[in-house]
Amino acid sequence: MNEYNPHEIEPRIQLQWEEAGLNAVDEHSDKPKKYVLEMLPYPSGDIHMGHVSNYTYGDVVARYSRMRGFNVLHPMGWDAFGLPAENAAIKHHSHPARWTYDNIDTQRDSFKRMGFSYDWDRTISACDPEYYHWGQWIFLKFWERGLVERKNNPVNWCPGCETVLANEQVIQGRCWRCDSEVERRDLTQWYFKITEYAQELLDDLDQLDGWPERVKQQQANWIGRSEGANVDFELVGTDGQPTGEMITVFTTRADTLFGCSFFVLAPEYAGLADLVKGTEYEGPVMDLVEASKKVSSVQRAQGDHEKHGQFTGRYVINPANGEQVPIWVADYVVADYGTGAVMAVPCGDQRDFEFARKYSLPIIPIILPEDDPQYQQLKDMQDRQVTSVEWPEAFAAEGVLVQSGPYTGLRGGKGSEGEAAIVAALEEAGKGKRTVEFRLRDWLISRQRYWGNPIPAIHCSQCGVVPVPEEDLPVRLPEDIDLAAGETLATHEGFVRCTCPVCGGAAKRETDTMDTFTCSSWYYMRYTDPHNDDAPFDPKKANYWMPVDQYIGGIEHAILHLLYSRFFTKVLRDMGLLGFGEPFTNLLCQGMVLDAHGEVMSKSKGNVVSPEEMIKTYGADAVRAAMLFMGPPDKEKLWNEDGLAGMSKFLNRVWRIVHDLVGRAGDETLYDPEADDANAHKLAMQMKRERHRVVGKVTEDIERNNFNTALAAIMELVNATATFLRVRPAEHRMNCQTGGPLCQDVADAIVKLMAPIAPHFADELWQTALGHAGQSVHTQPWPEYDPALAAADEVELAVQVNGKVKSRITVAADSAEADILAAAREAVSNALEGKAVIKEVVVPKRLVNLVVK
RNA sequence: GCCCGGGUGGCGGAACGGCAGACGCAGCGGACUCAAAAUCCGCCGUUCGCAAGAACGUGUGGGUUCAAAUCCCACCCCGGGCACCA
């Protein structure tokens, strides 16, 4: 037997796989398809431990699925556009493409060294014109369908990246990539109208049974659906007379309309300046507007909201009771949700309550819990008499309406009967309308950066903004650009100058590029048909492979990438290109890999563990197995090199034991047919049972992505085998008819179970120790298991008295309950002495509980 | 504040309501060795006990149950998401 030497084995086996084309697939297979995909990496350079865990999980699923007889698509590519490439190019006076392609080469080599089983013929890089061509094509189709919009809006500007950001890319007021504080700017930008799909994106979350609950919850929160009503308040003129002009508010609590004691506009409210123009209030109001602009996004994001307000001198009429209420402007109302105006009900809303307290505005109690001591006092009042009660805070829960005219006595609260009644009355009177608001905003996709997919549009002074004709795609990024010298797409004459496709006149090309998240929103479709020059993909191929059966990636994409991809899929479906509306059937969100102290690994902390170093020391198979064994994939993992050393020892142990098993299987002299005895038979049966039990357990565990317990079960089988090998030859002789095939079978099973986890290691054992030269274990079927053989004929039961284990008994697996009870009573006779058994519980194959008094 | 997770030995972690701590790491003891490494074997929750054994034990406090880490109620910590969203 030779020694296990991963450094010799791994490169050699990898070459074999490549030459045999083991991972190539096509759509013409009798086998059922399975699409296993991990989120594509950004080519940042060297791989890190997060890559190792993510892609190892995917590779186990892919390899296991192949052995289970699936036609497995398992591709890999690069999300290759993005800012780091540009920054590196500026620093080194080179081109982003060079940095990017160099990094892709580095990563690809690392992935190959890890033994990941990708079909490398299907790889894509988002920065290849062959790929981004179709991203532009999709953009044009979105445009045709009315899903592209240019609008002037306050946007998130990242001063660090010198570009705008989508809402999803702002984390606590800071840039998701560079952590700079985001500023508000008014700019005309390109948007995808994802809000048109808000309801469907929310509803279809229910279909995603294979997604973690927390991800669905996060998406639902982000979409943020609220049912309510738009209610019109009529503006009162400076002369005190109704103007006929309406200001609309959105509210989810129309039931509290009678408690509205003032009215608030956001500082950014469009008509605000006109309301106060030329009045004594103009100065103070405009001061407040200016002051609120200075509040940074980070301050806004960080709680601690001291509210500031200013009376405008104007009034509106409450449509419920005709009362005039003062209009205030306040910084606690935001412009981009609802209508930017709210009706303030201090008794039912904590923010309004605090504001009312601060500025001494009336608090009208109109909703109370029935058990409130003041309820009795207020409940019979039809007309408002009380405008203040002693409350420490607003009452926002369900209660009963009081002082609310005809609605007094009805239940109030979100979606309550009181709310329904008042909305119905408003609708009847033409003063309100039931409606739904979403928190989700349209997706801002334009970026003021070079290294991205150019937006295929042209600005013509005659024709306006027009699309680049399909046949002119792709709009290529110019290669002759000197970013270090400050050149941009906008300053690149050759890129900008063009002719208008409509009128043929001189025109200017759009110089913004698309958010990189547009590239990653459909790449998984491209893998199904990566070399198509006529279309992004052939719908037949996409519909064969899609949806992705198992998607794996980081939880940080719970909203961003996963929401955008769902949106793209739905639009492509509506275009008739896809026969399904959800791209990812099952989603596994892996937890972060942290250092041994639970800290995030970062260069600045100097605690980064290099996968390449680990491979050099222990081999890729040990790294893979150690990562899998560390814990459940969706939990955080604390990286500890001791675990890796232990895994390396385990592989060596398996190596020896498999060789030992094979040696014994062929050794005729060990198995004397005449010397066979009952004990030897029993040992063999135990071994066989363990083999079947473990294969069953490992199969179940891998199906449920419990890779850590799958590996633990394999260890149990290996331990049982070691015991079997140690005990048997010394004390027993076994019939070679039984022993030989059993040793062979156990060796087979161990090697096959290890194949998805340690693929080089298993293949080498398969080909050499097990004698299948030139044949890969990865083309073999997964080991069979027979639940009947896994079942023991004798079982040990715990015997409890009053729920505490007092003893154990061993009985035949098929024993009658009466026999079991008799044995149990016997076993704990001491504890039963002088007591009466009042209840007996028998749990088959587990325990007996005797309840005594 | 709202919505999700999570809290189990020295450590990573196992446990369809049914023997808590599988499996591994670390540690301790032994075999082999001149010795060490490697390997193999054994022990390994806490407290008391020479031992047999006993008591306690899954963040805290209650509850349901023959039986609770697991289910229910209340609370405390940790992580994540959303948030003046009307």
Side-chain angles (χ1 to χ4, degrees):
Chain A
M1 177 183 77
N2 53 342
E3 288 290 304
Y4 167 53
N5 177 2
H7 307 296
E8 186 278 322
I9 293 170
E10 289 176 0
R12 177 164 50 77
I13 293 281
Q14 283 160 15
L15 194 66
Q16 264 188 33
W17 293 340
E18 207 159 318
E19 284 170 354
L22 231 47
N23 307 318
V25 279
D26 62 46
E27 298 79 41
H28 309 290
S29 169
D30 299 335
K31 300 174 180 174
K33 72 94 184 178
K34 192 163 204 173
Y35 190 172
V36 180
L37 182 66
E38 303 102 56
M39 291 181 189
L40 84 178
Y42 179 77
S44 51
D46 296 334
I47 63 166
H48 53 69
M49 281 299 172
H51 291 120
V52 170
S53 75
N54 199 162
Y55 301 126
T56 299
Y57 297 143
D59 201 51
V60 169
V61 174
R63 289 184 182 277
Y64 165 77
S65 300
R66 287 193 197 96
M67 293 177 81
R68 288 303 299 254
F70 287 95
N71 186 26
V72 174
L73 175 58
H74 189 218
M76 171 53 68
W78 279 272
D79 189 14
F81 276 134
L83 207 49
E86 259 185 79
N87 292 338
I90 291 168
K91 197 169 160 194
H92 301 115
H93 282 270
S94 72
H95 194 274
R98 184 160 163 204
W99 183 87
T100 303
Y101 283 109
D102 282 353
N103 282 347
I104 287 175
D105 288 344
T106 305
Q107 284 196 354
R108 187 192 293 109
D109 289 349
S110 289
F111 290 158
K112 287 184 176 179
R113 272 193 287 280
M114 283 300 298
F116 299 143
S117 60
Y118 300 120
D119 181 350
W120 287 109
D121 293 334
R122 287 176 181 260
T123 192
I124 57 140
S125 298
C127 61
D128 286 345
E130 297 75 48
Y131 180 76
Y132 70 67
H133 178 156
W134 299 108
Q136 294 176 9
W137 183 88
I138 290 170
F139 178 93
L140 294 181
K141 294 296 164 188
F142 276 38
W143 201 346
E144 274 173 29
R145 299 182 67 80
L147 293 170
V148 172
E149 191 177 22
R150 256 169 72 80
K151 55 186 173 188
N152 185 280
N153 252 357
V155 297
N156 306 300
W157 173 266
C158 171
C161 299
E162 296 187 314
T163 183
V164 298
L165 300 172
N167 282 353
E168 289 79 5
Q169 292 161 351
V170 180
I171 316 291
Q172 305 276 303
R174 294 177 181 276
C175 172
W176 70 294
R177 176 162 268 157
C178 73
D179 212 34
S180 303
E181 194 168 306
V182 168
E183 300 167 2
R184 298 296 274 187
R185 287 198 182 179
D186 278 311
L187 294 170
T188 300
Q189 295 292 315
W190 295 85
Y191 291 83
F192 277 161
K193 290 161 87 173
I194 191 171
T195 52
E196 299 214 343
Y197 284 81
Q199 186 67 54
E200 200 189 344
L201 286 165
L202 182 67
D203 290 344
D204 289 358
L205 288 172
D206 288 343
Q207 299 173 17
L208 301 175
D209 297 330
W211 281 39
E213 203 50 47
R214 58 177 168 155
V215 174
K216 290 192 277 186
Q217 202 69 49
Q218 276 186 43
Q219 291 213 356
N221 282 347
W222 187 260
I223 295 167
R225 185 180 195 275
S226 284
E227 284 185 24
N230 280 339
V231 181
D232 297 330
F233 283 64
E234 187 175 1
L235 184 65
V236 178
T238 45
D239 57 0
Q241 296 305 307
T243 60
E245 194 185 326
M246 297 294 174
I247 301 182
T248 304
V249 299
F250 172 73
T251 179
T252 58
R253 292 295 305 277
D255 56 306
T256 63
L257 207 45
F258 283 80
C260 172
S261 56
F262 58 102
F263 193 88
V264 193
L265 300 177
E268 301 85 1
Y269 189 82
L272 178 60
D274 289 340
L275 285 184
V276 293
K277 185 163 258 173
T279 71
E280 58 181 299
Y281 298 97
E282 181 172 13
V285 166
M286 286 308 161
D287 286 348
L288 184 93
V289 169
E290 282 310 308
S292 75
K293 274 187 190 161
K294 295 205 177 78
V295 177
S296 77
S297 54
V298 170
Q299 280 170 282
R300 265 184 183 250
Q302 284 169 349
D304 188 29
H305 305 295
E306 169 72 23
K307 296 171 176 55
H308 305 277
Q310 174 62 46
F311 179 45
T312 63
R314 303 291 298 269
Y315 293 83
V316 284
I317 299 169
N318 184 338
N321 56 14
E323 278 180 23
Q324 291 200 3
V325 292
I327 304 176
W328 284 63
V329 56
D331 56 4
Y332 76 95
V333 175
V334 296
D336 59 0
Y337 183 78
T339 62
V342 303
M343 59 175 228
V345 182
C347 84
D349 183 284
Q350 188 59 23
R351 296 154 301 180
D352 297 342
F353 182 85
E354 285 166 13
F355 193 80
R357 275 281 169 86
K358 179 167 176 181
Y359 292 101
S360 303
L361 292 159
I363 298 169
I364 308 164
I366 50 85
I367 182 164
L368 284 166
E370 279 161 299
D371 56 3
D372 191 287
Q374 291 166 100
Y375 174 70
Q376 287 304 324
Q377 175 196 343
L378 291 165
K379 70 170 179 155
D380 296 326
M381 295 184 181
Q382 288 296 311
D383 300 317
R384 180 171 308 149
Q385 295 173 16
V386 179
T387 56
S388 131
V389 286
E390 284 307 312
W391 278 347
E393 58 184 12
F395 176 72
E398 288 208 357
V400 180
L401 298 178
V402 294
Q403 302 203 98
S404 295
Y407 309 100
T408 295
L410 292 183
R411 294 208 61 82
K414 276 192 184 177
S416 62
E417 56 172 354
E419 196 251 4
I422 292 183
V423 173
L426 288 168
E427 285 191 316
E428 180 89 359
K431 291 175 176 171
K433 199 170 185 328
R434 195 160 272 297
T435 186
V436 171
E437 271 292 326
F438 292 94
R439 211 191 68 92
L440 181 70
R441 304 287 87 179
D442 278 335
W443 176 12
L444 198 173
I445 57 142
S446 45
R447 297 289 179 273
Q448 292 69 51
R449 304 301 317 184
Y450 164 77
W451 194 231
N453 191 359
I455 291 175
I458 287 168
H459 300 260
C460 171
S461 55
Q462 300 300 310
C463 311
V465 185
V466 297
V468 172
E470 258 180 61
E471 56 272 21
D472 293 347
L473 297 185
V475 175
R476 283 173 184 271
L477 281 174
E479 285 168 27
D480 57 328
I481 191 161
D482 189 352
L483 297 173
E487 209 175 345
T488 65
L489 278 183
T491 65
H492 192 287
E493 270 294 296
F495 180 78
V496 173
R497 204 179 313 150
C498 63
T499 53
C500 172
V502 180
C503 68
K508 287 184 170 180
R509 197 175 287 288
E510 169 64 53
T511 57
D512 280 357
T513 52
M514 285 184 239
D515 183 1
T516 58
F517 280 93
T518 60
C519 303
S520 54
S521 292
W522 69 282
Y523 75 102
Y524 42 89
M525 319 267 191
R526 183 67 178 176
Y527 284 141
T528 68
D529 191 13
H531 308 297
N532 195 325
D533 291 331
D534 304 317
F537 51 85
D538 177 349
K540 259 196 247 135
K541 294 186 178 183
N543 283 323
Y544 171 77
W545 287 112
M546 292 288 298
V548 172
D549 295 280
Q550 180 65 63
Y551 198 34
I552 305 173
I555 184 69
E556 67 275 17
H557 288 108
I559 294 169
L560 287 156
H561 163 61
L562 291 168
L563 187 67
Y564 296 149
S565 294
R566 296 181 60 222
F567 165 57
F568 262 57
T569 301
K570 290 177 194 304
V571 178
L572 293 172
R573 175 206 59 198
D574 290 347
M575 285 164 58
L577 296 179
L578 300 174
F580 52 91
E582 286 292 340
F584 313 122
T585 306
N586 294 293
L587 175 67
L588 172 60
C589 284
Q590 61 149 356
M592 296 247 289
V593 183
L594 307 173
D595 75 4
H597 309 289
E599 301 275 341
V600 176
M601 293 188 191
S602 72
K603 278 183 191 157
S604 58
K605 283 190 187 136
N607 59 350
V608 176
V609 176
S610 155
E612 288 288 354
E613 289 298 314
M614 299 295 121
I615 296 171
K616 266 185 207 142
T617 312
Y618 300 97
D621 282 329
V623 174
R624 293 169 58 116
M627 185 61 83
L628 294 168
F629 192 57
M630 231 158 13
D634 55 343
K635 296 272 167 57
E636 285 180 344
K637 290 157 281 271
L638 305 190
W639 179 258
N640 179 354
E641 200 173 323
D642 290 345
L644 180 52
M647 193 52 68
S648 181
K649 284 203 281 192
F650 172 69
L651 292 181
N652 276 289
R653 179 167 153 87
V654 176
W655 183 270
R656 285 188 298 272
I657 280 174
V658 167
H659 278 93
D660 201 5
L661 277 169
V662 174
R664 299 294 174 84
D667 183 358
E668 297 271 337
T669 63
L670 262 176
Y671 310 109
D672 178 355
E674 302 303 315
D676 200 5
D677 62 35
N679 261 336
H681 181 71
K682 195 172 159 186
L683 277 171
M685 288 311 290
Q686 271 173 9
M687 181 73 249
K688 195 170 188 168
R689 197 155 54 230
E690 188 66 358
R691 174 250 181 259
H692 282 273
R693 183 189 71 83
V694 167
V695 171
K697 166 84 172 140
V698 172
T699 305
E700 244 172 62
D701 283 351
I702 294 183
E703 294 280 352
R704 292 188 306 195
N705 299 330
N706 291 340
F707 309 119
N708 55 329
T709 50
L711 199 35
I714 298 174
M715 288 172 178
E716 288 177 54
L717 177 58
V718 169
N719 291 344
T721 306
T723 305
F724 174 66
L725 287 173
R726 190 174 67 247
V727 172
R728 193 211 55 209
E731 297 171 12
H732 309 285
R733 293 267 153 158
M734 193 180 296
N735 190 317
C736 66
Q737 298 296 314
T738 318
L742 178 61
C743 287
Q744 188 73 48
D745 182 42
V746 171
D748 263 35
I750 291 174
V751 170
K752 285 179 171 181
L753 294 178
M754 287 298 290
I757 295 164
H760 317 84
F761 169 87
D763 221 350
E764 178 68 6
L765 280 175
W766 182 255
Q767 295 187 43
T768 57
L770 297 180
H772 306 285
Q775 183 196 69
S776 173
V777 72
H778 302 289
T779 62
Q780 295 301 305
W782 190 246
E784 296 291 328
Y785 76 101
D786 183 346
L789 291 175
D793 47 7
E794 275 191 340
V795 289
E796 191 186 68
L797 304 181
V799 181
Q800 298 179 332
V801 175
N802 288 345
K804 296 207 170 206
V805 179
K806 292 290 175 189
S807 182
R808 286 160 216 290
I809 54 174
T810 301
V811 298
D814 55 359
S815 296
E817 198 168 304
D819 297 337
I820 293 172
L821 282 170
R825 279 171 181 266
E826 171 69 26
V828 294
S829 52
N830 284 351
L832 297 183
E833 219 157 291
K835 295 186 175 137
V837 176
I838 55 172
K839 185 165 183 166
E840 296 165 328
V841 180
V842 178
V843 183
K845 303 202 168 125
R846 293 198 185 271
L847 56 71
V848 177
N849 189 13
L850 303 174
V851 186
V852 303
K853 221 157 81 179

